[in-house]
């Protein structure tokens, strides 16, 4: 029996990209049951581009409320047992849905399956990086601690069972950057996670990409940790200082790369305060920067 798969595509002013995204969905070797585009208040040509695909796409337009609200809206309208997401500026390889469903079929206890990803430059189309290491065991702990392997990439790499989505309550609309991390963590705390080590998602790197907003990432991930540690589970609470040490270490590096040296200094200090072992990372920091500069 063919699995019922719902594809949800949130979009905001990505009319120039969404045709590639939709075409990649309709070229899948395993046809989805439905394709839902949630237009989060676009002011460009998005609606007309989606309309060119005719009745093959369910189009929903709403006021601008953010990507999390758009994804949740799409899921509320959907009917499939399996739900998968695709950002409007990315696109899939043809076997993406088939390979993930095959992984679910091998282990019915899985709540989520993610896959590898190719990151490419939006201007030249050249591959920037391949992300082929993803977690299957201890995924929740690794997400909490910023240790690998975790869930690869943005929302476009994951497929979840509706049962899992409903149990964790969907995406948190209060988080603008890091919402995928938060969502996957809550899934991984409740369900087993599977991984397909193939680059089945093409992630477009461009100036408008949300991950470039370090300040918003700090705010979103701070909310993630606030929720994650609002627990009485002592095993999880014992990881708090290490988690914050790693979190502030990542933020310090991100602020350094964006040349915000004041914020770099703050998070450098907070990282050491929470986990003095971070000093070994920062001691090697100048060398890593020089090595990257030579590439």
């Amino acid at each position: 029996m063919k699995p019922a798969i719902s594809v949800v595509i949130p979009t905001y002013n990505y009319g120039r990209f969404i045709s590639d995204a939709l075409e990649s969905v309709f070229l899948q070797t395993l046809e989805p049951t439905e394709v839902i585009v949630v237009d989060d208040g676009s002011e460009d040509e998005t609606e007309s581009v989606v309309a060119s695909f005719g009745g093959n796409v369910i189009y929903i337009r709403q006021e601008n409320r953010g990507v999390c609200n758009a994804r949740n809206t799409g899921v509320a309208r959907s009917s499939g047992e399996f739900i998968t997401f695709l950002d409007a500026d990315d696109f899939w390889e043809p076997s993406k849905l088939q390979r993930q469903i095959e992984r679910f079929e091998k282990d019915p206890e899985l709540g989520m399956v993610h896959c590898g990803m190719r990151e490419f430059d939006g201007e030249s189309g050249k591959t920037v990086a391949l992300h082929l290491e993803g977690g299957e065991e201890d995924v929740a702990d690794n997400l909490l601690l910023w240790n690998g392997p975790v869930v690869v990439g943005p929302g476009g790499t994951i497929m979840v069972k509706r049962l899992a989505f409903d149990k964790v309550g969907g995406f948190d609309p209060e988080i603008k950057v890091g919402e995928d991390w938060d969502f996957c963590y809550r899934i991984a705390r409740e369900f087993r996670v599977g991984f397909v080590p193939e680059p089945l998602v093409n992630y477009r790197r461009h100036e408008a990409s949300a991950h470039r907003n370090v300040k918003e990432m700090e705010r979103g991930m701070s909310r993630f940790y606030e929720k994650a540690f609002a627990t009485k589970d002592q095993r999880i609470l014992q990881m708090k200082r290490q988690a914050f040490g790693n979190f502030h270490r990542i933020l310090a590096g991100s602020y350094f790369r964006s040349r915000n040296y004041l914020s770099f200094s703050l998070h450098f200090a907070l990282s050491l305060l929470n986990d003095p072992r971070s000093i070994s990372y920062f001691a090697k920091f100048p060398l890593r920067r020089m090595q990257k500069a030579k590439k």
Side-chain angles (χ1 to χ4, degrees):
M1 183 177 178
K2 180 182 175 180
I5 306 171
S6 298
V7 178
V8 175
I9 305 176
T11 185
Y12 176 68
N13 287 338
Y14 275 170
R16 63 194 185 279
F17 298 134
I18 198 169
S19 181
D20 289 343
L22 285 168
E23 287 176 1
S24 77
V25 173
F26 291 115
L27 288 173
Q28 291 295 300
T29 55
L30 180 60
E31 183 180 1
T33 304
E34 58 192 359
V35 181
I36 302 170
V37 171
V38 182
D39 186 344
D40 195 39
S42 295
E43 299 175 344
D44 63 356
E45 69 274 22
T46 293
E47 185 171 2
S48 61
V49 173
V50 175
S52 69
F53 286 84
N56 295 319
V57 180
I58 299 170
Y59 176 78
I60 301 172
R61 182 176 176 84
Q62 65 179 28
E63 294 181 1
N64 184 251
R65 298 172 187 166
V67 66
C68 290
N69 188 285
R71 287 173 179 159
N72 291 342
T73 295
V75 173
R77 173 63 176 78
S78 69
S79 60
E81 177 188 358
F82 298 93
I83 306 165
T84 188
F85 305 93
L86 174 59
D87 291 342
D89 53 339
D90 301 332
F91 62 94
W92 290 338
E93 291 298 311
S95 61
K96 195 264 187 184
L97 298 184
Q98 181 175 340
R99 297 291 287 120
Q100 288 184 302
I101 287 295
E102 288 172 351
R103 185 68 184 86
F104 273 114
E105 290 174 343
K106 288 181 180 178
D107 187 350
E109 298 300 316
L110 296 176
M112 178 175 75
V113 171
H114 60 122
C115 64
M117 179 181 79
R118 179 182 77 100
E119 189 173 353
F120 71 99
D121 181 79
E123 293 294 327
S124 66
K126 293 182 179 179
T127 299
V128 175
L130 289 176
H131 305 275
L132 302 177
E133 294 185 3
E136 291 193 318
E137 302 294 335
D138 302 318
V139 174
D141 285 357
N142 288 343
L143 285 166
L144 194 66
L145 295 171
W146 289 72
N147 287 337
V150 291
V151 177
V152 174
T157 64
I158 66 173
M159 179 184 287
V160 299
K161 287 182 178 177
R162 179 175 298 276
L163 171 68
F165 184 94
D166 290 343
K167 183 166 186 177
V168 304
F171 290 89
D172 183 348
E174 296 298 318
I175 302 179
K176 294 182 179 179
V177 177
E179 77 286 348
D180 304 319
W181 198 278
D182 169 72
F183 176 74
C184 292
Y185 173 78
R186 288 183 281 121
I187 292 282
R189 275 281 174 243
E190 300 288 342
F191 298 90
R192 288 169 49 81
V193 173
F195 178 63
V196 179
E198 301 172 28
L200 301 176
V201 174
N202 295 281
Y203 175 77
R204 188 188 310 265
R205 179 188 286 186
H206 56 92
E207 289 302 319
S209 299
H211 78 275
R212 295 178 181 270
N213 190 333
V214 182
K215 192 65 180 177
E216 196 59 56
M217 179 182 78
E218 178 183 352
R219 193 189 76 83
M221 294 304 293
S222 294
R223 176 172 170 78
F224 158 68
Y225 277 117
E226 179 183 350
K227 295 192 300 177
F229 288 116
T231 178
K232 295 181 181 179
D233 189 325
Q234 290 301 309
R235 192 188 70 82
I236 294 175
L237 293 173
Q238 287 173 359
M239 293 185 275
K240 187 172 183 178
R241 290 185 67 85
Q242 183 182 352
F244 275 101
N246 291 344
F247 172 49
H248 290 293
R249 186 193 72 199
I250 296 296
L251 282 175
S254 297
Y255 278 120
F256 187 91
R257 286 188 290 273
S258 63
R259 299 181 180 181
N260 185 336
Y261 300 119
L262 181 61
S263 293
F264 161 76
S265 299
L266 171 63
H267 291 286
F268 166 81
L270 288 172
S271 179
L272 293 181
L273 180 64
N274 280 279
D275 189 352
R277 292 173 298 178
S278 294
I279 191 63
S280 62
Y281 170 85
F282 289 110
K284 300 174 184 177
F285 196 75
L287 178 61
R288 283 195 299 271
R289 296 304 301 167
M290 287 189 290
Q291 289 174 338
K292 288 184 179 181
K294 291 180 181 178
K295 293 181 180 181

